[in-house]
Amino acid sequence: MLNFLIRRVSFMVISMIAISILSFVLIELPPGSAIEVKLQQLRQQGGDMTAEQVRGLEERYGIHDPIQVKYWKWISRAVKGDFGQSFQLDRPVKSLIWARLGFSVLLSSFALVFSWGLSIPLGVYSATHRYTLPDYVIQVLQFVGVAIPQFLLALLLLVLASRAFNQEVGTLFSQQFKNAPWSLPRLLDFLRHVWIPVVVLAVGGTAGLTRIMRANLLDVLGQQYVQTARSKGVAEHIVIWKHAVRNALHPLIMALGTTLPLLISGEVIISIVLNLPTTGPMYLQALLNKDMYLAVAFLLMLSLMLLIGNLLADILLAWVDPRVRLE
Amino acid sequence: MVTTSAVAEAKVSANGQVDNVIELEDLHVHFHTKLGVVRAVNGVTLEIPRGKVVGVVGESGCGKSQTAFAIMQLVPPPGRIVAGKIVLYPKNGPPVNVLRYDRNSDEMRAIRGGHVSMIFQEPMTALNPVYPVGDQIMEAILLHQTTDKKEAAARAVDILGKVGLPNPKRLLGTYPHELSGGMRQRAMIALALSCTPDLLLADEPTTALDVTTQAQILDVMRELQAEIGMSILFVTHNLGVIAQMADEVAVMYLGQLVERAPVEELFDEPRHPYTRALMRSIPHLGTPRHARLNVIEGGLPNQYSQVPGCAFHPRCPVAQPGLCDVYQPALRPVTPTVEVSCFLYHNLDGTPVAAPTQTASSGTGPPLGDALPA
Amino acid sequence: MATVSTGLPLGGVAVQKEESAADQVSQWTLMRWRFMQNRLSVGALVVLILMYLTAAVAPFLSPNDYNELDTDHAFAAPTRIKLVHGWPSVCPLTQTLDPDHFKWVYEADCERAVPIRLFVHGAKHRLLGLIPTDVHLFGVVDVPPPAEAAPSASKTAAKDSVASLLAGLGGQNVAGAASAQAETKAEKPPRLFFFGADQQGRDLFSRVLEGSRVSLTIGIVGVIFSLIIGSLLGAFSGYMGGVVDNAIQRTIEIIRAVPTLPLWAAFAAALPRTTTVTQRYLLITIVLSLVGWTGLARELRGKVLAYRALDYIAAARLAGSSHLRIVLSHMLPNAASHIIVIATLAVPYSILGETSLSFLGLGMLPPAVSWGVLLRDTQQIQSVLIHPWMLLPAVPVILAVACFFLLGDGLRDAIDPYS
């Protein structure tokens, strides 16, 4: 187990390096980045002060250096937590990303818990009541849930929320709490707002996971050890929840490998639609404006989020299934 | 309860002082599928004497496993027990009409594992992979015998030792995937016997094992059967295993019993044409090397169809037109110990055929020998 | 012997016949049989075929030119079809500005309803990209017969007097505006907007049809690119093993460690913005497949690993086949059915990818039309609240994606009923 963890963590480090190079190159490639715009501005202002500023910036970000030097200058600061400057917003990247990343993690985690909490009972019900009306309803909803683009669902819920509930959407806080420090009322206010993005985010995942759960449970229910449990005189609900569901969880956790990227992707896009104070809108703006240091930082952090999620999934898997522990 | 004991008394008095552990009467198990109804068990009547091993043999799909599942009321959907009676006579306690209980009722669950338990064909998949072996055995003990966890653990260690597993204490915390196939089947037997059942249903328990392990497992079963004094319903298609294990044999074809006999008599003198054909299909030592193996002519009919008359008549070399393809023979005694359902041995009205010795002389009697194509 | 021959035909012969039939049909025929039994998947296939046919002849089916601006019908609601003399007809709209809410208000005048006609002449287009024509399947003819001009004018005057009457009761402005509108716009021909019109008065229905050409094909083309990369790399990865396998697998893992949409977005943002529609189309498919190939390669590698252990591969190697030949002519054909299933299930993700990217303004860009580009107009939530039909382009997206999922599901069950 320890060996396994060490292997996984070292792979994570290598992945992060590769991703940082990839994203750096990707965002460096196109001409017309925000830093050049900024330098242009400074040059136009003229004067000794700005000329010095221009030189300082050019030196710091290696404007005239070849790309590998540029990368090195950037990465050696990045590992210390200095991700450079957002030239669009004129602020250091690190002052911009953490709060937004926090909300992203929070939102994704809520959605994950929500979709698991929903998909397991739904899948179990669907599998144990096969070919009944509720099973068909659940199955049809699954297809719709998977097929509906998340941004569209966000839009629909937005329309619904403002029409039916008359709730202000497109924010995580009411006006009076927006910049207030954390407190119980603020938390309650947050919870009142956060449900829309969580529901939107969870729908796709729930649909997929319910499908997996149903299929797996049907598979497991056909296994001999389920009959063994029944033949011992174990009550049916214990047979299902203790003996069958536990075994059906394995593929569900494996599915995290595909659930998490979808979740993070979904979080980005629905935050843009709902204009939430998370990574999505700022990342998009950074991309559109070629505000490269900001965009790279977001891409790296989103990838890190995914890698950590996958690591947690692996640990969970080893905990649930003793057969994995051996490897 | 009143009615069940009344039934039980009637049965016992009719048969003299026979002590049966379970009696199946005219059992029907149907599978209702989209394509039609499969009559997996089609009127089986069978008693299992206390302390004896009854083997059920037949081709795959003849309903032998479903008969065992029916006793537990664990016929998998879409299968259903549509008719029949199953009366269980526990060692201590009044007789029970099993089918009166709902399949998910508390009473039924007390019977499963408590009075009747089961072992399966695939030891690799019969134990739950995510729980230690000990937990799985203790679960049964805690359900039926004691609520004290320590005592349950002690009993589990005891039974694991009895099935010949080394270091039973350590095994309690071992997961199934850490055991070999033979060890798993032993653990499975331990699980099944942990609550000293009256009847063990063994559904091809050795089919998936290699021959050496197979022999060991059969030995263990035999030993523990004598020790606990339970009965075994041993389902298999392997006649060799039957010869080794069973006291009595019931031969099944298409959901019906065609012959019942003590094991020696069955092997010495198979009577039903199907039993004879089955015996002939076993390759023997000393058969010429390139000789073709004997197979039973024809194939099983479509599972959704119902064959009129005797179920075996389309494949039977000695079928009598106008009789076998019209009327269904009943299982009737031929000798005091042997019952056969065939018009070779009794007439339509149930009276014995005039000279039964002529046709039943041996497995390769004249009528059969002539009729079978080479 | 006689008994045997009379006894057997019941079961024996029938069974034998079935067996021999099963022997002769090919694996593909068996799959087709199994697939045809799955009604839902067959239905999905039919819907998809219809959608692609529709896309192929989109201009022919469009009642309007998808790019035709018409400020008189900005944000016009979906046209209500009236039955006049038992024939579906369209009522002309008059446009007025509601000064209180700053939105256009339309009034239908069904006295002057114009019938929808079949095979009308309209904007020029090329049928299937080949045959130049100006015939459309249906539409409204916008030339009102001169004889009807007089009565319609008098009706306008009548309406005018009603408006001034209303003005006397209350809003002077409204009436003034209404009469001015009525005077200038009265002779405007009626338009047919099944799905309503967008901000510039373009026909949303025609735009959805036009958009389907991009949205439906971009998914498939993207998957074809992924297939080429994925199946080759996946097959070689599984076949070669060792360093090659390791390198490819680690690459895949790293690409998959980046969340898909942000990665697509980063790729798409790096694309030059000054490209033609066709170039952009190709670039977007490449972006989609740069990520998409990994899933395919994974699945295929698993298959090939399983095949590699089989005897016929060893036989081919002993016979002196080259690695390339073994992979291309022994392994890939065997995995073909699996590749088809995986590819089918990858198409909806591709479609969703394009739609999402275009929605964000990173995919197809106007003047190109795709479902995502159309949905980009829904980003102004206030506008959607007032003009909910702007969400209609989502319907074909959901339909296409759901059908592809259903189809893929059915195909998978058909090729591998036991998994």
Side-chain angles (χ1 to χ4, degrees):
Chain A
M1 192 66 202
L2 192 68
N3 263 334
F4 166 78
L5 277 182
I6 292 170
R7 260 212 332 268
R8 288 301 314 226
V9 171
S10 50
F11 172 71
M12 271 173 67
V13 173
I14 297 170
S15 300
M16 285 308 288
I17 295 171
I19 292 166
S20 71
I21 296 173
L22 176 79
S23 43
F24 192 88
V25 171
L26 204 58
I27 294 165
E28 176 68 23
L29 266 179
S33 66
I35 185 167
E36 281 161 22
V37 176
K38 175 83 183 173
L39 289 171
Q40 203 63 41
Q41 272 176 13
L42 287 171
R43 279 198 202 97
Q44 275 165 3
Q45 281 172 17
D48 288 347
M49 194 52 199
T50 49
E52 211 160 286
Q53 268 182 315
V54 168
R55 257 197 305 284
L57 281 175
E58 279 179 348
E59 168 58 24
R60 182 179 160 117
Y61 295 108
I63 300 302
H64 304 300
D65 294 332
I67 190 160
Q68 64 269 25
V69 178
K70 252 191 226 178
Y71 172 75
W72 181 249
K73 282 188 174 175
W74 169 71
I75 194 76
S76 44
R77 287 208 191 86
V79 291
K80 292 180 206 134
D82 176 8
F83 289 100
Q85 186 84 6
S86 162
F87 297 101
Q88 179 75 21
L89 303 167
D90 243 335
R91 288 174 63 188
V93 168
K94 65 178 173 190
S95 72
L96 292 166
I97 59 169
W98 293 119
R100 285 180 175 258
L101 211 59
F103 278 123
S104 283
V105 171
L106 207 60
L107 217 57
S108 305
S109 316
F110 276 0
L112 191 65
V113 170
F114 189 83
S115 55
W116 271 61
L118 212 59
S119 59
I120 293 176
L122 277 180
V124 170
Y125 186 90
S126 204
T128 49
H129 296 75
R130 201 146 60 124
Y131 306 134
T132 61
L133 186 65
D135 176 37
Y136 284 124
V137 171
I138 291 172
Q139 283 202 68
V140 169
L141 285 180
Q142 280 162 25
F143 270 108
V144 176
V146 173
I148 195 165
Q150 278 168 318
F151 66 84
L152 198 74
L153 198 65
L155 276 171
L156 288 176
L157 223 61
L158 212 58
V159 172
L160 192 77
S162 61
R163 280 230 166 137
F165 303 106
N166 207 12
Q167 187 180 355
E168 46 170 337
V169 282
T171 170
L172 287 178
F173 296 102
S174 304
Q175 203 56 45
Q176 70 263 35
F177 289 112
K178 203 152 249 170
N179 294 309
W182 279 107
S183 62
L184 189 63
R186 190 177 192 240
L187 182 70
L188 291 177
D189 183 63
F190 171 70
L191 290 178
R192 239 171 21 132
H193 286 93
V194 84
W195 72 270
I196 289 183
V198 166
V199 166
V200 173
L201 207 45
V203 162
T206 307
L209 291 175
T210 306
R211 253 165 81 72
I212 297 174
M213 188 67 204
R214 179 180 186 272
N216 287 327
L217 194 62
L218 282 178
D219 212 36
V220 169
L221 284 175
Q223 295 285 322
Q224 198 114 72
Y225 53 78
V226 172
Q227 273 305 49
T228 306
R230 287 196 185 116
S231 77
K232 284 195 290 194
V234 177
E236 189 63 20
H237 66 274
I238 299 178
V239 169
I240 287 172
W241 286 97
K242 181 180 170 190
H243 289 271
V245 171
R246 173 85 185 262
N247 277 287
L249 283 182
H250 185 145
L252 208 60
I253 297 168
M254 301 252 278
L256 274 177
T258 51
T259 311
L260 288 177
L262 284 179
L263 204 63
I264 294 171
S265 298
E267 193 274 319
V268 168
I269 195 164
I270 70 157
S271 301
I272 293 168
V273 176
L274 301 176
N275 195 24
L276 301 178
T278 64
T279 48
M282 196 176 260
Y283 176 63
L284 181 69
Q285 281 314 309
L287 281 179
L288 289 174
N289 296 319
K290 317 254 177 200
D291 195 352
M292 59 168 299
Y293 290 106
L294 189 56
V296 172
F298 272 127
L299 195 54
L300 268 184
M301 287 302 133
L302 289 173
S303 306
L304 187 64
M305 219 166 115
L306 181 54
L307 282 170
I308 291 175
N310 281 336
L311 181 71
L312 291 179
D314 282 340
I315 294 171
L316 191 62
L317 194 61
W319 179 66
V320 167
D321 193 334
R323 283 167 295 185
V324 178
R325 283 175 227 165
L326 277 184
E327 290 158 16
Chain B
M1 265 339 224
V2 180
T3 45
T4 56
S5 33
V7 170
E9 269 172 18
K11 193 80 185 173
V12 171
S13 55
N15 285 7
Q17 63 278 54
V18 180
D19 182 17
N20 289 331
V21 69
I22 201 162
E23 288 166 3
L24 314 182
E25 200 183 314
D26 197 26
L27 187 68
H28 290 261
V29 176
H30 290 186
F31 283 73
H32 292 266
T33 68
K34 267 185 206 158
L35 296 171
V37 179
V38 180
R39 293 167 174 80
V41 179
N42 200 2
V44 164
T45 300
L46 178 69
E47 307 85 38
I48 301 173
R50 197 174 298 282
K52 296 281 187 216
V53 178
V54 174
V56 177
V57 283
E59 287 163 279
S60 325
C62 71
K64 53 194 194 302
S65 296
Q66 295 311 329
T67 307
F69 280 122
I71 294 173
M72 293 281 230
Q73 284 214 54
L74 284 179
V75 177
R80 252 174 349 113
I81 302 170
V82 290
K85 193 182 274 174
I86 299 175
V87 184
L88 177 74
Y89 301 85
K91 254 190 304 269
N92 29 34
V96 185
N97 185 347
V98 175
L99 295 184
R100 286 179 69 87
Y101 298 130
D102 181 76
R103 68 191 308 243
N104 289 326
S105 62
D106 292 345
E107 291 88 349
M108 199 60 230
R109 287 193 284 109
I111 294 171
R112 286 182 208 138
H115 297 300
V116 184
S117 57
M118 188 155 187
I119 54 179
F120 300 95
Q121 184 170 353
E122 280 289 339
M124 307 309 269
T125 57
L127 290 166
N128 196 325
V130 299
Y131 296 109
V133 174
D135 286 14
Q136 300 189 47
I137 296 177
M138 281 163 64
E139 187 180 26
I141 299 173
L142 288 170
L143 273 170
H144 299 291
Q145 306 235 298
T146 169
T147 49
D148 180 35
K149 283 202 170 176
K150 264 196 194 135
E151 198 193 326
R155 286 193 192 207
V157 171
D158 182 52
I159 191 74
L160 280 170
K162 276 190 182 152
V163 295
L165 282 167
N167 205 348
K169 252 205 185 101
R170 205 181 59 80
L171 271 179
L172 282 188
T174 307
Y175 286 96
H177 66 269
E178 299 169 79
L179 303 177
S180 69
M183 287 168 88
R184 274 188 230 190
Q185 196 60 299
R186 281 175 201 259
M188 189 63 217
I189 292 170
L191 168 60
L193 302 188
S194 59
C195 301
T196 55
D198 299 299
L199 173 64
L200 175 68
L201 307 171
D203 185 11
E204 312 221 13
T206 57
T207 309
L209 303 172
D210 65 74
V211 183
T212 328
T213 320
Q214 191 172 321
Q216 290 168 353
I217 294 289
L218 292 179
D219 284 346
V220 168
M221 287 180 74
R222 259 295 188 195
E223 259 169 49
L224 289 174
Q225 184 254 334
E227 189 180 326
I228 297 174
M230 64 179 177
S231 315
I232 299 179
L233 181 71
F234 200 102
V235 173
T236 183
H237 60 257
N238 185 332
L239 290 167
V241 169
I242 282 289
Q244 204 174 336
M245 279 296 288
D247 300 307
E248 281 184 40
V249 184
V251 182
M252 258 183 111
Y253 183 75
L254 287 186
Q256 290 168 335
L257 288 191
V258 295
E259 182 162 358
R260 270 205 65 181
V263 66
E264 302 85 6
E265 284 200 51
L266 188 91
F267 278 88
D268 285 351
E269 193 181 321
R271 285 180 169 82
H272 195 280
Y274 175 67
T275 317
R276 287 194 224 164
L278 211 56
M279 295 293 177
R280 288 160 143 273
S281 67
I282 307 172
H284 292 282
L285 283 178
T287 334
R289 209 187 312 176
H290 295 292
R292 301 208 40 164
L293 293 174
N294 279 304
V295 294
I296 305 176
E297 286 294 316
L300 285 174
N302 182 329
Q303 53 183 347
Y304 305 108
S305 63
Q306 253 186 310
V307 181
C310 171
F312 188 60
H313 86 263
R315 301 169 78 185
C316 180
V318 290
Q320 303 164 51
L323 180 65
C324 296
D325 51 1
V326 181
Y327 303 101
Q328 191 180 331
L331 197 64
R332 292 181 199 280
V334 175
T335 72
T337 50
V338 178
E339 291 177 321
V340 180
S341 72
C342 183
F343 290 123
L344 288 177
Y345 303 97
H346 41 256
N347 297 316
L348 204 50
D349 57 8
T351 53
V353 168
T357 41
Q358 189 201 338
T359 42
S361 56
S362 88
T364 51
L368 209 55
D370 283 349
L372 263 182
Chain C
M1 288 312 280
T3 48
V4 177
S5 52
T6 52
L8 269 176
L10 262 179
V13 172
V15 169
Q16 267 171 0
K17 213 178 211 165
E18 270 168 39
E19 277 169 2
S20 60
D23 278 344
Q24 280 160 12
V25 301
S26 75
Q27 190 195 3
W28 293 98
T29 316
L30 273 176
M31 286 176 201
R32 208 180 59 232
W33 286 353
R34 282 197 292 260
F35 177 77
M36 295 306 274
Q37 281 174 356
N38 191 338
R39 298 250 175 86
L40 212 53
S41 303
V42 174
L45 180 64
V46 171
V47 172
L48 284 175
I49 290 173
L50 286 178
M51 287 182 94
Y52 277 93
L53 285 177
T54 307
V57 294
F60 174 65
L61 295 176
S62 314
N64 297 299
D65 180 1
Y66 72 94
N67 257 336
E68 186 188 337
L69 303 178
D70 181 356
T71 44
D72 294 336
H73 288 93
F75 283 132
T79 310
R80 270 212 308 249
I81 312 288
K82 270 233 150 149
L83 284 183
V84 175
H85 308 307
W87 189 255
S89 309
V90 178
C91 311
L93 297 174
T94 43
Q95 183 189 49
T96 49
L97 186 71
D98 174 356
D100 294 333
H101 299 95
F102 271 106
K103 65 184 240 193
W104 294 109
V105 179
Y106 291 93
E107 204 178 320
D109 178 8
C110 287
E111 295 288 305
R112 298 191 298 124
V114 173
I116 298 173
R117 295 189 197 281
L118 292 174
F119 301 107
V120 293
H121 295 275
K124 287 197 182 346
H125 65 93
R126 282 172 180 269
L127 191 60
L128 294 168
L130 295 172
I131 310 150
T133 172
D134 65 346
V135 176
H136 297 250
L137 181 62
F138 57 87
V140 285
V141 192
D142 32 343
V143 202
E148 278 178 35
S152 84
S154 74
K155 280 210 184 77
T156 328
K159 212 178 69 177
D160 223 19
S161 62
V162 173
S164 53
L165 213 148
L166 277 171
L169 292 172
Q172 195 78 36
N173 285 348
V174 181
S179 62
Q181 291 288 343
E183 271 160 34
T184 51
K185 314 283 185 187
E187 298 309 318
K188 273 285 165 186
R191 299 285 304 274
L192 176 58
F193 297 125
F194 276 142
F195 287 4
D198 70 1
Q199 196 171 8
Q200 276 114 32
R202 290 177 292 197
D203 174 22
L204 204 54
F205 179 71
S206 302
R207 288 177 75 71
V208 165
L209 284 183
E210 182 63 25
S212 70
R213 310 185 107 184
V214 167
S215 293
L216 284 176
T217 53
I218 211 165
I220 296 219
V221 177
V223 166
I224 289 173
F225 282 154
S226 310
L227 257 181
I228 296 169
I229 313 174
S231 53
L232 284 180
L233 285 182
F236 273 103
S237 177
Y239 178 74
M240 304 295 276
V243 185
V244 178
D245 184 33
N246 242 318
I248 295 177
Q249 288 312 307
R250 293 298 88 77
T251 312
I252 290 175
E253 272 172 46
I254 287 168
I255 294 179
R256 304 205 87 167
V258 190
T260 322
L261 186 84
L263 185 60
W264 272 339
F267 275 126
L271 300 178
R273 302 220 119 201
T274 53
T275 48
T276 66
V277 169
T278 321
Q279 283 170 333
R280 185 89 191 161
Y281 179 95
L282 276 177
L283 287 173
I284 294 295
T285 54
I286 290 169
V287 164
L288 292 176
S289 53
L290 275 177
V291 181
W293 70 270
T294 54
L296 259 158
R298 269 233 160 137
E299 298 252 5
L300 216 68
R301 172 179 174 265
K303 277 277 153 239
V304 167
L305 275 182
Y307 292 144
R308 195 165 67 153
L310 298 180
D311 287 341
Y312 74 93
I313 297 296
R317 197 175 308 156
L318 287 175
S321 297
S322 68
H323 290 320
L324 192 70
R325 191 185 154 74
I326 288 175
V327 169
L328 291 183
S329 65
H330 290 281
M331 285 179 165
L332 284 183
N334 264 302
S337 54
H338 288 271
I339 295 176
I340 290 171
V341 171
I342 302 163
T344 310
L345 286 170
V347 174
Y349 287 106
S350 243
I351 293 178
L352 283 178
E354 184 275 327
T355 309
S356 303
L357 282 180
S358 301
F359 174 79
L360 292 178
L362 291 166
M364 296 305 287
L365 302 169
V369 182
S370 81
W371 293 336
V373 171
L374 296 177
L375 284 170
R376 186 157 169 71
D377 289 342
T378 62
Q379 281 201 353
Q380 284 98 27
I381 189 68
Q382 293 310 320
S383 166
V384 175
L385 285 173
I386 303 168
H387 318 294
W389 56 87
M390 300 304 291
L391 285 169
L392 281 173
V395 175
V397 178
I398 299 173
L399 192 63
V401 170
C403 284
F404 267 112
F405 277 131
L406 281 171
L407 177 65
D409 247 34
L411 287 177
R412 187 174 48 199
D413 291 348
I415 65 157
D416 206 359
Y418 304 109
S419 73

